């Protein structure tokens, strides 16, 4: 296939994918609110526990996740990827990112997130496939090409490959029948170690939620190792959040409400 044909076919696959996800109903989403649970897997591939969560998002870079721990919980630190939070007696733990700022809330109160956590979040924003499809397809320096045909999870798929101006490579496997996303692969290079990292997401159990066909089950792998599985119970799109929910002040209010509830008890 000539390069021009490859680009045209890649763009057509992306257009079919976006149309299958809901067309304008998908691309015009700016907020999402989902609830469910996350299951973490250890190095041996066995599940090590699960935690309930509620996830509030305003694209591209505002993100609030509330983790609900019941009783003593030793796996939540690994699920969140942060150390030093008080999980021992359950309750609600919140991580909040707003652009280049970030905070956590736990029993000890509100704390600033370390710079490393914020930079990791900002990198995840760039790797996020929804951000890619909704906001970045016309970004300068983004290259698109057809990646061939294949069988993935017993489905016939077309691969489309995208490379951004910072050499992140996205490989998307699109079902040839439904045109829904079956798998995404994000390949990046760690500039410090020169290691090539591969993050895979596997999407299943699509259901129509508001205007969007939504995968209610997502499995994630990192460098060939199963990392986490997400099960959504519900998802809403463009619910109309107040700006406050992504502001540090909302965490202080959360703490005040928790103290008030404790004093009543």
């Amino acid at each position: 296939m000539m390069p021009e044909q490859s680009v045209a076919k890649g763009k057509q696959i992306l257009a079919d994918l976006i149309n299958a996800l809901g067309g304008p109903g998908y691309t015009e989403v700016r907020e999402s609110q989902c609830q469910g649970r996350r299951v973490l897997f250890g190095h041996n591939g066995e599940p090590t526990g699960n935690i309930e969560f509620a996830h509030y998002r305003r694209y591209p870079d505002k993100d609030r996740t509330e983790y609900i721990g019941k009783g003593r919980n030793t796996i939540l630190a690994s699920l969140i990827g942060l150390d030093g939070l008080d999980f021992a007696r359950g309750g609600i733990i919140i991580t909040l990112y707003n652009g280049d700022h970030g905070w956590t809330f736990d029993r000890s109160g509100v704390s600033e997130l370390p710079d490393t956590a914020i930079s990791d979040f900002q990198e995840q924003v760039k790797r996020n496939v929804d951000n890619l499809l909704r906001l970045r397809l016309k970004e300068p320096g983004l290259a698109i090409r057809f990646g061939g045909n294949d069988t993935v999870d017993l489905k016939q798929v077309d691969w489309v490959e995208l490379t951004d101006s910072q050499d992140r490579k996205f490989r998307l496997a699109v079902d040839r029948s439904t045109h829904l996303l079956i798998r995404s692969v994000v390949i990046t290079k760690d500039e410090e170690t020169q290691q090539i990292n591969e993050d895979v997401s596997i999407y299943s159990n699509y259901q129509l939620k508001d205007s969007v066909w939504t995968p209610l089950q997502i499995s994630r792998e990192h460098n060939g190792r199963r990392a986490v599985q997400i099960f959504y119970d519900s998802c809403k799109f463009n619910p109309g959040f107040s700006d406050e929910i992504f502001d540090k002040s909302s965490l202080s209010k959360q703490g005040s409400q928790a103290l008030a509830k404790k004093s009543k008890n």
Side-chain angles (χ1 to χ4, degrees):
M1 185 177 290
M2 296 295 289
E4 298 84 357
Q5 292 175 308
S6 178
V7 170
K9 188 169 180 63
K11 289 183 176 179
Q12 183 59 55
I13 294 168
L14 289 174
D16 291 340
L17 167 60
I18 289 171
N19 187 56
L21 290 171
Y26 173 79
T27 58
E28 293 172 9
V29 166
R30 290 296 174 264
E31 297 176 341
S32 63
Q33 176 183 343
C34 296
Q35 293 178 303
R37 58 189 174 91
R38 298 186 184 187
V39 179
L40 183 73
F41 294 88
H43 289 285
N44 60 358
E46 293 295 320
T48 58
N50 66 77
I51 190 77
E52 295 178 28
F53 72 95
H55 189 199
Y56 306 84
R57 187 152 197 178
R58 180 177 289 165
Y59 296 93
D61 60 357
K62 293 179 173 62
D63 187 293
R64 176 188 179 112
T65 307
E66 300 180 357
Y67 299 90
I68 302 96
K70 296 179 179 178
R72 182 170 180 80
N73 196 307
T74 59
I75 68 162
L76 190 49
S78 298
L79 280 168
I80 296 177
L82 296 171
D83 295 321
L85 298 179
D86 181 3
F87 307 108
R89 291 163 291 175
I92 295 179
I93 309 293
I94 301 173
T95 60
L96 176 60
Y97 295 92
N98 189 330
D100 56 0
H101 300 282
W103 306 272
T104 59
F105 167 82
D106 65 359
R107 287 178 176 271
S108 63
V110 180
S111 304
E112 299 278 341
L113 277 166
D115 291 342
T116 50
I118 294 170
S119 61
D120 286 347
F121 168 73
Q122 292 173 329
E123 176 62 23
Q124 289 302 318
V125 167
K126 289 292 188 180
R127 297 182 191 182
N128 182 270
V129 171
D130 285 314
N131 276 339
L132 176 72
L133 295 175
R134 288 190 175 113
L135 303 172
R136 302 187 59 202
L137 291 183
K138 295 183 179 179
E139 188 175 278
L142 187 71
I144 300 171
R145 74 179 188 90
F146 175 55
N149 310 117
D150 200 359
T151 301
V152 175
D153 299 333
L154 302 179
K155 297 179 175 67
Q156 293 294 312
V157 304
D158 289 318
W159 285 97
V160 58
E161 297 185 358
L162 306 93
T163 305
D164 70 10
S165 59
Q166 294 177 299
D167 289 329
R168 297 179 193 87
K169 179 179 284 188
F170 301 83
R171 300 186 71 239
L172 308 181
V174 179
D175 190 316
R176 300 186 76 181
S177 175
T178 65
H179 302 294
L180 292 171
L181 187 62
I182 299 299
R183 184 173 297 208
S184 68
V185 184
V186 184
I187 302 168
T188 54
K189 183 177 181 180
D190 188 316
E191 294 301 329
E192 291 186 8
T193 65
Q194 300 301 302
Q195 178 181 342
I196 302 298
N197 292 310
E198 184 176 275
D199 291 284
V200 176
S201 297
I202 302 164
Y203 309 91
S204 58
N205 191 18
Y206 276 89
Q207 295 185 25
L208 184 62
K209 299 295 181 181
D210 295 329
S211 60
V212 181
W213 282 95
T214 306
L216 296 187
Q217 185 172 328
I218 302 175
S219 298
R220 302 198 190 280
E221 300 173 358
H222 178 68
N223 291 339
R225 184 178 69 82
R226 196 176 186 185
V228 67
Q229 196 158 10
I230 302 169
F231 300 89
Y232 291 111
D233 296 324
S234 64
C235 278
K236 299 178 182 178
F237 295 95
N238 291 337
F241 298 133
S242 69
D243 292 338
E244 185 185 38
I245 195 173
F246 299 107
D247 191 82
K248 179 183 178 181
S249 63
S250 69
L251 299 182
S252 299
K253 284 187 177 182
Q254 182 83 33
S256 299
Q257 291 168 356
L259 288 172
K261 185 176 181 180
K262 186 176 181 180
S263 64
K264 287 180 180 179
N265 296 334

